[in-house]
Amino acid sequence: MAAFAAGAVLLLLVSVTPLATIALHYLLSAHLVQNVVMAEWAPALAVAGLSGTMAAGLARPRVVRAATHPFVALCCWLAAYGFWHVPAVYDYALRHGAVLHAEHVTYFAAGSLLWWPVLQNEPRRLSSGAKAAYVFAAFVLASPVGLLLALLPEPVYDYYVEAPRLWGLTPLEDQQIAGVLMTVSEAIVFFAVFAIFFVRFMAEEEAGYSQPRA
């Protein structure tokens, strides 16, 4: 319950506070923080907050069973991230409220699929080693988006080039900060989860080797 409530609070914090106004009208860095929360942090907490019985019920339909397969879930999440960060698509969404809402819903749905195989054992149970490998792959495949934003020599989103400036940040400085924030936040979350399951995997392996042989 605490995890689910925390996910809901995070969604509210990035949707109905001044951060949402700054993200929509002023700074790319604020918008990327908003996106990371909607696509990674809040979905992880929401999925972790489901009881085993609830997860089993939600995973019963065939379409959900297919969508939560690790390969499918990871591909959906990467596709959502890649598509919405295309400059033309990104700018269009910011100029059209309905499309921006669709973007945010897509992020949360794809993020929920991403974390499902890691945090739930229905409809399939992954080993700790498989979960560690899955989370590591997700980070490696998603990190280029933030790194590119941090390293590109020119701003790529016209919407924020034209936006009013805050705190003396130029569009390029804003983009570089956005890329760094995105990469660092992903590294913290994904490597923390990776470390948990990798340690479990090593403990399970050690326990298996220590069992007496027949």
Side-chain angles (χ1 to χ4, degrees):
M1 290 175 65
F4 197 92
V9 169
L10 280 179
L11 288 176
L12 287 173
L13 287 176
V14 299
S15 300
V16 297
T17 65
L19 176 63
T21 301
I22 296 171
L24 180 59
H25 298 292
Y26 299 100
L27 295 179
L28 172 64
S29 50
H31 192 194
L32 282 194
V33 169
Q34 187 183 51
N35 289 349
V36 167
V37 169
M38 291 182 171
E40 298 170 19
W41 300 359
L45 289 167
V47 172
L50 297 174
S51 68
T53 302
M54 293 171 67
L58 289 171
R60 192 170 294 117
R62 182 173 299 178
V63 64
V64 178
R65 294 176 64 87
T68 55
H69 186 281
F71 179 78
V72 176
L74 180 56
C75 287
C76 287
W77 182 71
L78 291 171
Y81 243 125
F83 175 76
W84 288 113
H85 281 92
V86 172
V89 177
Y90 204 96
D91 288 342
Y92 185 85
L94 285 163
R95 290 184 168 92
H96 299 82
V99 181
L100 185 62
H101 292 319
E103 174 191 329
H104 293 163
V105 170
T106 303
Y107 276 143
F108 185 81
S112 298
L113 292 180
L114 172 76
W115 290 112
W116 193 280
V118 179
L119 302 173
Q120 294 293 342
N121 293 320
E122 296 288 345
R124 58 188 61 81
R125 181 186 293 270
L126 298 182
S127 67
S128 296
K131 291 180 179 181
Y134 174 83
V135 172
F136 183 79
F139 171 74
V140 170
L141 294 172
S143 59
V145 176
L147 291 173
L148 279 173
L149 291 176
L151 298 175
L152 286 173
E154 298 290 339
V156 296
Y157 298 119
D158 292 339
Y159 182 90
Y160 287 108
V161 172
E162 302 164 2
R165 309 315 308 160
L166 285 183
W167 306 312
L169 291 174
T170 67
L172 181 58
E173 289 170 341
D174 178 29
Q175 179 174 288
Q176 291 170 337
I177 293 171
V180 171
L181 285 174
M182 184 176 182
T183 303
V184 170
S185 64
E186 287 181 342
I188 292 172
V189 172
F190 282 94
F191 273 97
V193 178
F194 167 79
I196 290 171
F197 287 106
F198 184 75
V199 169
R200 287 185 185 178
F201 167 70
M202 296 301 293
E204 291 166 1
E205 289 295 299
E206 183 177 352
Y209 280 120
S210 63
Q211 290 180 355
R213 305 294 180 181

